[in-house]
Structures are given as C-alpha cells and as structure tokens.
Amino acid sequence: MQLTALALWLNTAFAGFDEAVATAIHQLYVAAGWFFTPFLSFISLLGKGGIFLILLSIALMLFRKTRRYGTTMLLALAIGALVTNVCFKPLVARPRPYTHDGSIFQQYWEMLGKHTESDKSFPSGHMTAAMAASLAVFLRGNKKVSWTALLFALAMGVSRIYLSVHYATDVLGGVITGSIGGFAGYAISNRIPESFYTADFRDYIDRLKAKKSGGKGAGRSTAAAAAAEPSDGRRRTLVIDGANFSTMDGLFREFNRLFDVGPDEAVHSLDALNDLLGGGIGKIPAGARLHIRWLNSEKSREDFGYGATVIYYEKLLRRCHPNNRPRMEALLAEARRGEGETLFEKLTALIARTDTGHDCTLSLE
C-alpha cells in the first residue's frame, strides 16, 4: 500500500512512541482482560459515528436548563467532525495499525476480537467526538464538577488504543481536533441570542393559544382570568399560575396579562415588574393594596432555581455597566456554585413588599 508522505512520517517518527503506549495499555488486558475488554469495547461503541453524543446533545437542547450544554456540544461535535473527516483523514490517509502484517498492533487486534473500521486512522474520529463533547461540557459548566466530563474522553482514548484500532498518535490527533471543535463550539454558542436559551415550548404554545383566541375566552391564562376576581375587602387578590410559564419571559407575559398592560408599558425586566406592582400601570390603580396567589409555586421554584439564576446573571453581565461587572461576576460565580439567592427567591422578595409605593403580599400554593 502506497503511503502518503504524512502517513509515512507518522509511522516512522513516532513508531517507538506508538508501540510503547500500545504495549503499556495492553497490560490492562494482561491484568484483567475479562473486565477491560467488554468495558472498553462499550466505551468505544459510544463514540461510533458520534451518534450517541449527537442524540445526547439534542436531548439536552430540549430542556431550558441544559440547552446551553446541548447546543455547545452539538456545535463542538459538528466542527470536530468537519475538521477530522473532511480535512485531516483524507489528507493524511494513514492506514489502521492492525493492517501492518506481523506487527504487535495486529497481534493485539487479533487477541481482542478483530474490531474493524472502514475509514482512515489519523486522527481518531472517536477521540475527536469524545474530546469535543467533553470539552464543551467542561467549558460550559462549573469547573469544580465539569472536569469529570474529561474522564470520558480519557476512557475513549484508552479504548481505541486498547482495541488496536488506533495508534497513540491518532488519539493525540483526536485530542487536538476535538479541542478545536470544543473551543469553537463554546465561542459560537456564546454568540447565540439569549432568547434561544430561555425560550420554552410551553410558552410558545401559550402564545399561539392566546393569539388564536384573540386574548379572550378559553385561550386566556389563569392569571388573566383571575384579574377580574373581586377584592377580599382588604386587598385585591390576583392569581398567577406557575403551570402557565417556566421562563422569565413567560412570567412577564403572565403579569402583563394579569394587569392588562398595553404593548407600550409591557414588563420585560425585574425593575419594570417592581414598578408594575406599585400600581398605576394597566388596570390596577396606583397605591392599590394587592395580594398575589402563586399557584404551582413548587414548579416555579424549580424552574427559577440555580440554573435559571446562572442564565439571568450571564445575561446581565453582558450588558451591565463596567462598574457593576465585579458584582455581577461575583453573583454569577456564586450561582454556579449553587450558593446564594436563587431567581425564585429574588422574585418572591420583590413581590412580597409593603414599603412606600409598593403594598403587596404573597402566598405560595
């Protein structure tokens, strides 16, 4: 077989290194092949074609709390696959190690079940996918925990050498191409509009219903209907229902309907919500004494937990005044550690106030 110049260079310049690593990893077979062979075969299977990781990315994208992880992973996988399969594999065209007759690689390969691959060897596509996905999770998550994702990439690299379907240099090449995908995917995901990450399918359905019904009748939310409830004699009771929203945009729409706020005065921030609760906007008169009943509040407590809090502070950090950045960064770091005030706690504290110009009580149900 005629080798390309790059393949020939890899096979000669790194021959000793590749053999030494393969021999060292083969000691796992000697020590406990009954365990490592099925285990590493399974790990290797998870990287085949990137299908498992792609499906995992898509699954994570379905949920608002994990959408950033899924999006970053999917972008990283796509970029890594492009760099590996379109650029390097055809260019280098390195044959698989088990094709070298009489080599230790072929001996190990025959011993471990003769796993065959259809494409070229450098760089490892499995390693590219594993590294891209793992690095995406590491960069996106809390580094104190997310570093564990890199263990999957490590296991993938070991499995490919163990099964003798890749040289150690193929795996190192996959680390490089996977890292390119991971960093690029992370950078691109940070430029995607915030609305993509905070959008909720249920809120979209709610908007369609409201649009279809013209804002009247069955299409209106519980909150909108509750605005017409009579006062209890002391405070005007209004109802919001956590079943109708799971994002900040959804919450703001709930209050806008509840107070019958026009488009020009619609609430889109916590400061605006605070002004709204003071009265004088929409159908609630200024100085009104209010009582808010928050139905399905436990669902909202989960929806606006630390995951949503991180998203909230990330959004604020991108647009805040430079003088406020240290404080926003500190609050964001605290939320990422799962510490401090959650967005739900911030919301309930904002609603339940009885100071000057704001007289509102709150019950969580």
Side-chain angles (χ1 to χ4, degrees), residues 232-268:
D232 62 3
R234 295 179 300 162
R235 292 183 179 275
R236 182 164 188 168
T237 300
L238 304 173
V239 180
I240 61 172
D241 190 344
N244 292 335
F245 57 86
S246 57
T247 66
M248 289 298 289
D249 287 341
L251 173 72
F252 293 146
R253 283 194 295 272
E254 189 86 343
F255 272 102
N256 288 331
R257 287 193 293 267
L258 183 65
F259 282 69
D260 197 18
V261 177
D264 294 338
E265 297 179 310
V267 168
H268 297 292

Side-chain angles (χ1 to χ4, degrees), residues 68 192-199 311-312 314-315 318:
R68 290 178 186 273
I192 294 176
E194 187 71 19
S195 57
F196 172 77
Y197 294 116
T198 58
I311 294 173
Y312 173 73
E314 285 177 341
K315 186 175 181 179
R318 284 195 288 270

Side-chain angles (χ1 to χ4, degrees), residues 38 79 106 142 152 154 156 169 191 204 208 225 238 240 268 272 274 278 294 297:
I79 295 169
Q106 190 175 68
N142 183 341
F152 173 70
L154 175 62
M156 183 63 72
T169 42
R191 301 185 67 85
Y204 177 70
L208 287 180
L238 304 173
I240 61 172
H268 297 292
N274 182 61
W294 192 328
S297 60

Side-chain angles (χ1 to χ4, degrees), residues 148-170:
T148 56
L150 298 174
L151 296 177
F152 173 70
L154 175 62
M156 183 63 72
V158 171
S159 75
R160 302 307 283 168
I161 300 172
Y162 180 88
L163 296 173
S164 202
V165 291
H166 276 297
Y167 297 101
T169 42
D170 296 339

Side-chain angles (χ1 to χ4, degrees), residues 22-280:
T23 301
I25 289 181
H26 182 66
Q27 296 307 307
L28 295 175
Y29 174 81
V30 175
W34 58 270
F35 168 76
F36 285 109
T37 299
F39 173 69
L40 293 175
S41 295
F42 173 72
I43 294 294
S44 183
L45 182 63
L46 293 179
K48 190 171 183 62
I51 295 174
F52 167 74
L53 293 172
I54 291 172
L55 292 177
L56 177 60
S57 301
I58 294 173
L60 291 173
M61 290 177 67
L62 295 177
F63 303 95
R64 181 172 55 86
K65 292 181 179 180
T66 56
R67 189 167 297 151
R68 290 178 186 273
Y69 288 92
T71 302
T72 307
M73 282 178 61
L74 193 60
L75 287 168
L77 288 167
I79 295 169
L82 183 66
V83 172
T84 296
N85 297 318
V86 177
C87 299
F88 283 104
K89 278 187 181 285
L91 178 65
V92 179
R94 189 185 196 184
R96 296 281 174 170
Y98 56 75
T99 62
H100 292 191
D101 293 335
S103 67
I104 61 168
F105 305 106
Q106 190 175 68
Q107 294 174 27
Y108 294 156
W109 175 69
E110 291 174 347
M111 191 181 302
L112 291 163
K114 296 184 177 181
H115 296 266
T116 58
E117 301 288 345
S118 59
D119 57 353
K120 298 300 182 181
S121 194
F122 183 91
S124 168
H126 282 64
M127 190 63 204
T128 297
M131 188 65 194
S134 298
L135 185 58
V137 173
F138 171 73
L139 293 173
R140 180 57 65 194
N142 183 341
K143 305 302 184 293
K144 290 184 178 180
V145 178
S146 62
W147 67 269
T148 56
L150 298 174
L151 296 177
F152 173 70
L154 175 62
M156 183 63 72
V158 171
S159 75
R160 302 307 283 168
I161 300 172
Y162 180 88
L163 296 173
S164 202
V165 291
H166 276 297
Y167 297 101
T169 42
D170 296 339
V171 170
L172 291 178
V175 170
I176 295 172
T177 52
S179 296
I180 292 172
F183 282 114
Y186 179 72
I188 294 172
S189 68
N190 284 336
R191 301 185 67 85
I192 294 176
E194 187 71 19
S195 57
F196 172 77
Y197 294 116
T198 58
D200 189 275
F201 182 72
R202 288 168 294 182
D203 289 337
Y204 177 70
I205 294 296
D206 185 58
R207 289 199 301 272
L208 287 180
K209 288 181 178 179
K211 183 177 180 180
K212 185 176 181 180
S213 63
K216 299 179 180 180
R220 297 179 65 189
S221 69
T222 303
E229 289 185 3
S231 169
D232 62 3
R234 295 179 300 162
R235 292 183 179 275
R236 182 164 188 168
T237 300
L238 304 173
V239 180
I240 61 172
D241 190 344
N244 292 335
F245 57 86
S246 57
T247 66
M248 289 298 289
D249 287 341
L251 173 72
F252 293 146
R253 283 194 295 272
E254 189 86 343
F255 272 102
N256 288 331
R257 287 193 293 267
L258 183 65
F259 282 69
D260 197 18
V261 177
D264 294 338
E265 297 179 310
V267 168
H268 297 292
S269 69
L270 292 185
D271 287 339
L273 177 60
N274 182 61
D275 294 339
L276 181 69
L277 292 169

